[in-house]
Amino acid sequence: MWIGEAAAAAGTTPRALRFYEQRGLLTPPARTASGRREYGPGEVARVRVIRDLLAHGFTVEDLRGVAHRLHVLVDGPPVGCDGSGVVGDRLAALDAEIDRLTRLRERLARRAGVRDDDGTGPGTGSRVR
């Protein structure tokens, strides 16, 4: 299938496929004599895995580091995937960002005098509107 068909089948755009190829997440597909990219079901499945991982908080740089192993996720996560390596690193980065944002929110709430829902003091219960 051509790039537009493959992109539609994977739920993305031709531009994204070219981007994934440039970043090393997707192996350059075979080309016709006229230079058109030809994709098969394997490439479409890999793009779906890439998009799923990106939607779960991974970055393109995270995936570049494990691009050679993305094919094992086409049929789902491997048995015994324990959250180490790139998963553990991403979880730690997300935890750190949550902590940072929580502290930032608490400081802003204190500064603005926003009280918890129970009225006891600055906290995370109320939203400034």
Side-chain angles (χ1 to χ4, degrees):
M1 65 185 88
W2 308 128
I3 193 169
E5 297 164 325
T12 192
T13 64
R15 183 176 180 179
L17 295 186
R18 288 188 291 273
F19 176 78
Y20 299 152
E21 182 182 333
Q22 291 168 350
R23 295 300 186 269
L25 303 180
L26 190 60
T27 304
R31 291 186 180 250
T32 65
S34 64
R36 292 181 74 177
R37 292 171 168 89
E38 288 187 299
Y39 294 90
E43 287 91 358
V44 171
R46 184 178 176 101
V47 171
R48 287 182 181 144
V49 165
I50 292 166
R51 291 181 48 75
D52 184 56
L53 292 170
L54 292 171
H56 279 85
F58 288 94
T59 65
V60 170
E61 286 305 310
D62 291 334
L63 299 183
R64 284 184 71 183
V66 294
H68 64 285
R69 297 184 1 219
L70 289 177
H71 67 280
V72 302
L73 297 176
V74 169
D75 294 324
V79 175
C81 183
D82 63 359
S84 63
V86 71
V87 173
D89 292 347
R90 179 52 41 202
L91 289 172
L94 289 171
D95 287 342
E97 184 66 3
I98 290 167
D99 290 343
R100 185 188 72 78
L101 290 171
T102 299
R103 287 190 310 273
L104 180 63
R105 190 205 185 283
E106 288 169 355
R107 284 194 341 253
L108 178 59
R110 274 194 305 274
R111 179 146 177 102
V114 174
R115 304 247 175 229
D116 282 333
D117 289 336
D118 64 4
T120 60
T124 59
S126 299
R127 300 264 188 239
V128 177
R129 294 185 185 168

